[in-house]
Amino acid sequence: MNRAFSRKKDKTWMHTPEALSKHYIPYNVKFLGSTEVEQPKGTEVVRDAVRKLKFARHIKKSEGQKTPKVELQISIYGVKILDSKTKEVQHNCQLHRISFCADDKTDKRIFTFICKDSESNKHLCYVFDSEKCAEEITLTIGQAFDLAYRKFLESGGKDVETRKQIAGLQKRIHELETENIELKNKVQDLENQLRITQVQTSPAGSVTPKSPSTDIFDMVPFSPISPQSSTPTRNGTQPPPVPSRSAEIKRDLFGAEPFDPFSCGAGDFPPDIQSKLDEMQRQRWRGSKWD
């Protein structure tokens, strides 16, 4: 165990036991990354890992990449590393797997811890930039170790098995959350593709309006269905109204009005002609009656 934990003999803890046992202590830091180390502890081991990750971060920064910000959640069960925006758990380092923790005395911003990976069984060193509170975070992890050890003694070792079960459930929950996020992204992609397809495909039955066709004189042909007075001319003016055919006066070939003996008045003809016309009309009436 690092000397940072043994220094608590002459100092008081920074947080209440309830804060670490029932809840967690959050810290916003920058994550430089993690790298594999050969030993589970040691100051020189940590120092080499810090130099390696600082150099890699300097290269990425020169390429325009920013150091990602994360949130640390420290409790008696371990240290969780979450994305500061989405709150997605990136790493869940169980406390019994953390073998070493230290802050850099030459750089008050840097602190590290070594944790054994549950899948590969490799020792990984995690390095963080903590905005000059590296010692506080190190002491908080030391307090979590102290409380976890006391709880272990009080439970007679039974709490270790419970923590393993809880850790397994937390791992499964993390896997399910990751799968859920992937499925949501796939559904979103399918919905976007469907919208693009609907926009590109014109709706069935749609007819594009066509401009009226014209003849060889660039004139709109006459249509008996639509009145001519409602069709504007090409210069925007309305044509003069066409007189009704019933109102027109019919004339013969010589320009005279046609003769209609039955539409004339009685005073328009001489008496002898008028009598003959009356006789003709009576005969016409009699013939239609006998028919």
PDB file of all heavy atoms in Angstrom, residues 150-164:
ATOM      1  N   ARG A 150     -12.587  -2.126   7.568  1.00  0.00           N
ATOM      2  CA  ARG A 150     -13.358  -2.226   8.799  1.00  0.00           C
ATOM      3  C   ARG A 150     -14.647  -3.022   8.593  1.00  0.00           C
ATOM      4  O   ARG A 150     -15.044  -3.836   9.430  1.00  0.00           O
ATOM      5  CB  ARG A 150     -13.691  -0.831   9.329  1.00  0.00           C
ATOM      6  CG  ARG A 150     -12.487  -0.053   9.835  1.00  0.00           C
ATOM      7  CD  ARG A 150     -12.924   1.310  10.339  1.00  0.00           C
ATOM      8  NE  ARG A 150     -11.787   2.122  10.740  1.00  0.00           N
ATOM      9  CZ  ARG A 150     -11.890   3.361  11.224  1.00  0.00           C
ATOM     10  NH1 ARG A 150     -13.105   3.920  11.355  1.00  0.00           N
ATOM     11  NH2 ARG A 150     -10.814   4.041  11.571  1.00  0.00           N
ATOM     12  N   LYS A 151     -15.288  -2.779   7.472  1.00  0.00           N
ATOM     13  CA  LYS A 151     -16.521  -3.511   7.170  1.00  0.00           C
ATOM     14  C   LYS A 151     -16.234  -4.984   6.963  1.00  0.00           C
ATOM     15  O   LYS A 151     -17.046  -5.857   7.326  1.00  0.00           O
ATOM     16  CB  LYS A 151     -17.180  -2.915   5.920  1.00  0.00           C
ATOM     17  CG  LYS A 151     -18.603  -3.402   5.685  1.00  0.00           C
ATOM     18  CD  LYS A 151     -19.241  -2.647   4.532  1.00  0.00           C
ATOM     19  CE  LYS A 151     -20.680  -3.099   4.330  1.00  0.00           C
ATOM     20  NZ  LYS A 151     -21.349  -2.380   3.213  1.00  0.00           N
ATOM     21  N   PHE A 152     -15.077  -5.281   6.406  1.00  0.00           N
ATOM     22  CA  PHE A 152     -14.674  -6.677   6.203  1.00  0.00           C
ATOM     23  C   PHE A 152     -14.498  -7.381   7.547  1.00  0.00           C
ATOM     24  O   PHE A 152     -14.924  -8.529   7.741  1.00  0.00           O
ATOM     25  CB  PHE A 152     -13.383  -6.725   5.396  1.00  0.00           C
ATOM     26  CG  PHE A 152     -12.745  -8.078   5.331  1.00  0.00           C
ATOM     27  CD1 PHE A 152     -13.256  -9.056   4.491  1.00  0.00           C
ATOM     28  CD2 PHE A 152     -11.631  -8.378   6.123  1.00  0.00           C
ATOM     29  CE1 PHE A 152     -12.661 -10.314   4.435  1.00  0.00           C
ATOM     30  CE2 PHE A 152     -11.052  -9.625   6.064  1.00  0.00           C
ATOM     31  CZ  PHE A 152     -11.565 -10.603   5.223  1.00  0.00           C
ATOM     32  N   LEU A 153     -13.873  -6.715   8.524  1.00  0.00           N
ATOM     33  CA  LEU A 153     -13.665  -7.304   9.836  1.00  0.00           C
ATOM     34  C   LEU A 153     -14.980  -7.487  10.579  1.00  0.00           C
ATOM     35  O   LEU A 153     -15.189  -8.489  11.282  1.00  0.00           O
ATOM     36  CB  LEU A 153     -12.719  -6.429  10.659  1.00  0.00           C
ATOM     37  CG  LEU A 153     -11.278  -6.318  10.132  1.00  0.00           C
ATOM     38  CD1 LEU A 153     -10.474  -5.367  11.011  1.00  0.00           C
ATOM     39  CD2 LEU A 153     -10.603  -7.682  10.049  1.00  0.00           C
ATOM     40  N   GLU A 154     -15.895  -6.546  10.440  1.00  0.00           N
ATOM     41  CA  GLU A 154     -17.183  -6.622  11.137  1.00  0.00           C
ATOM     42  C   GLU A 154     -18.053  -7.747  10.591  1.00  0.00           C
ATOM     43  O   GLU A 154     -18.814  -8.382  11.341  1.00  0.00           O
ATOM     44  CB  GLU A 154     -17.924  -5.292  11.010  1.00  0.00           C
ATOM     45  CG  GLU A 154     -17.253  -4.151  11.769  1.00  0.00           C
ATOM     46  CD  GLU A 154     -17.919  -2.816  11.499  1.00  0.00           C
ATOM     47  OE1 GLU A 154     -18.887  -2.799  10.690  1.00  0.00           O
ATOM     48  OE2 GLU A 154     -17.489  -1.804  12.063  1.00  0.00           O
ATOM     49  N   SER A 155     -17.977  -7.994   9.293  1.00  0.00           N
ATOM     50  CA  SER A 155     -18.810  -9.029   8.676  1.00  0.00           C
ATOM     51  C   SER A 155     -18.164 -10.404   8.713  1.00  0.00           C
ATOM     52  O   SER A 155     -18.788 -11.386   8.281  1.00  0.00           O
ATOM     53  CB  SER A 155     -19.122  -8.662   7.222  1.00  0.00           C
ATOM     54  OG  SER A 155     -17.917  -8.598   6.473  1.00  0.00           O
ATOM     55  N   GLY A 156     -16.933 -10.497   9.193  1.00  0.00           N
ATOM     56  CA  GLY A 156     -16.249 -11.780   9.250  1.00  0.00           C
ATOM     57  C   GLY A 156     -15.881 -12.327   7.882  1.00  0.00           C
ATOM     58  O   GLY A 156     -15.759 -13.534   7.693  1.00  0.00           O
ATOM     59  N   GLY A 157     -15.710 -11.477   6.927  1.00  0.00           N
ATOM     60  CA  GLY A 157     -15.299 -11.896   5.583  1.00  0.00           C
ATOM     61  C   GLY A 157     -16.451 -12.205   4.656  1.00  0.00           C
ATOM     62  O   GLY A 157     -16.240 -12.477   3.469  1.00  0.00           O
ATOM     63  N   LYS A 158     -17.685 -12.208   5.188  1.00  0.00           N
ATOM     64  CA  LYS A 158     -18.842 -12.507   4.341  1.00  0.00           C
ATOM     65  C   LYS A 158     -19.102 -11.394   3.329  1.00  0.00           C
ATOM     66  O   LYS A 158     -19.688 -11.639   2.270  1.00  0.00           O
ATOM     67  CB  LYS A 158     -20.082 -12.704   5.202  1.00  0.00           C
ATOM     68  CG  LYS A 158     -19.984 -13.917   6.128  1.00  0.00           C
ATOM     69  CD  LYS A 158     -21.244 -14.054   6.961  1.00  0.00           C
ATOM     70  CE  LYS A 158     -21.155 -15.264   7.888  1.00  0.00           C
ATOM     71  NZ  LYS A 158     -22.383 -15.408   8.725  1.00  0.00           N
ATOM     72  N   ASP A 159     -18.691 -10.194   3.669  1.00  0.00           N
ATOM     73  CA  ASP A 159     -18.966  -9.064   2.778  1.00  0.00           C
ATOM     74  C   ASP A 159     -18.185  -9.155   1.469  1.00  0.00           C
ATOM     75  O   ASP A 159     -18.568  -8.570   0.468  1.00  0.00           O
ATOM     76  CB  ASP A 159     -18.619  -7.756   3.492  1.00  0.00           C
ATOM     77  CG  ASP A 159     -19.052  -6.544   2.703  1.00  0.00           C
ATOM     78  OD1 ASP A 159     -20.259  -6.421   2.421  1.00  0.00           O
ATOM     79  OD2 ASP A 159     -18.178  -5.730   2.346  1.00  0.00           O
ATOM     80  N   VAL A 160     -17.066  -9.900   1.489  1.00  0.00           N
ATOM     81  CA  VAL A 160     -16.261 -10.027   0.264  1.00  0.00           C
ATOM     82  C   VAL A 160     -17.054 -10.748  -0.820  1.00  0.00           C
ATOM     83  O   VAL A 160     -17.069 -10.342  -1.987  1.00  0.00           O
ATOM     84  CB  VAL A 160     -14.948 -10.768   0.569  1.00  0.00           C
ATOM     85  CG1 VAL A 160     -14.153 -10.998  -0.714  1.00  0.00           C
ATOM     86  CG2 VAL A 160     -14.117  -9.995   1.573  1.00  0.00           C
ATOM     87  N   GLU A 161     -17.726 -11.848  -0.430  1.00  0.00           N
ATOM     88  CA  GLU A 161     -18.531 -12.590  -1.415  1.00  0.00           C
ATOM     89  C   GLU A 161     -19.683 -11.744  -1.932  1.00  0.00           C
ATOM     90  O   GLU A 161     -20.019 -11.783  -3.126  1.00  0.00           O
ATOM     91  CB  GLU A 161     -19.060 -13.866  -0.774  1.00  0.00           C
ATOM     92  CG  GLU A 161     -19.760 -14.798  -1.760  1.00  0.00           C
ATOM     93  CD  GLU A 161     -18.831 -15.333  -2.834  1.00  0.00           C
ATOM     94  OE1 GLU A 161     -17.620 -15.435  -2.567  1.00  0.00           O
ATOM     95  OE2 GLU A 161     -19.334 -15.632  -3.937  1.00  0.00           O
ATOM     96  N   THR A 162     -20.277 -10.967  -1.046  1.00  0.00           N
ATOM     97  CA  THR A 162     -21.370 -10.083  -1.464  1.00  0.00           C
ATOM     98  C   THR A 162     -20.881  -9.040  -2.457  1.00  0.00           C
ATOM     99  O   THR A 162     -21.547  -8.740  -3.449  1.00  0.00           O
ATOM    100  CB  THR A 162     -21.988  -9.391  -0.245  1.00  0.00           C
ATOM    101  OG1 THR A 162     -22.425 -10.381   0.688  1.00  0.00           O
ATOM    102  CG2 THR A 162     -23.157  -8.511  -0.651  1.00  0.00           C
ATOM    103  N   ARG A 163     -19.699  -8.497  -2.186  1.00  0.00           N
ATOM    104  CA  ARG A 163     -19.146  -7.493  -3.109  1.00  0.00           C
ATOM    105  C   ARG A 163     -18.833  -8.102  -4.465  1.00  0.00           C
ATOM    106  O   ARG A 163     -18.991  -7.460  -5.497  1.00  0.00           O
ATOM    107  CB  ARG A 163     -17.888  -6.868  -2.505  1.00  0.00           C
ATOM    108  CG  ARG A 163     -18.167  -5.846  -1.428  1.00  0.00           C
ATOM    109  CD  ARG A 163     -16.949  -4.988  -1.186  1.00  0.00           C
ATOM    110  NE  ARG A 163     -15.744  -5.777  -1.036  1.00  0.00           N
ATOM    111  CZ  ARG A 163     -14.866  -5.630  -0.021  1.00  0.00           C
ATOM    112  NH1 ARG A 163     -15.097  -4.757   0.917  1.00  0.00           N
ATOM    113  NH2 ARG A 163     -13.777  -6.354   0.027  1.00  0.00           N
ATOM    114  N   LYS A 164     -18.395  -9.357  -4.476  1.00  0.00           N
ATOM    115  CA  LYS A 164     -18.121 -10.021  -5.749  1.00  0.00           C
ATOM    116  C   LYS A 164     -19.410 -10.194  -6.552  1.00  0.00           C
ATOM    117  O   LYS A 164     -19.431 -10.001  -7.774  1.00  0.00           O
ATOM    118  CB  LYS A 164     -17.464 -11.381  -5.503  1.00  0.00           C
ATOM    119  CG  LYS A 164     -16.024 -11.292  -5.008  1.00  0.00           C
ATOM    120  CD  LYS A 164     -15.433 -12.680  -4.844  1.00  0.00           C
ATOM    121  CE  LYS A 164     -13.973 -12.601  -4.366  1.00  0.00           C
ATOM    122  NZ  LYS A 164     -13.391 -13.950  -4.183  1.00  0.00           N
TER     123      LYS A 164
END
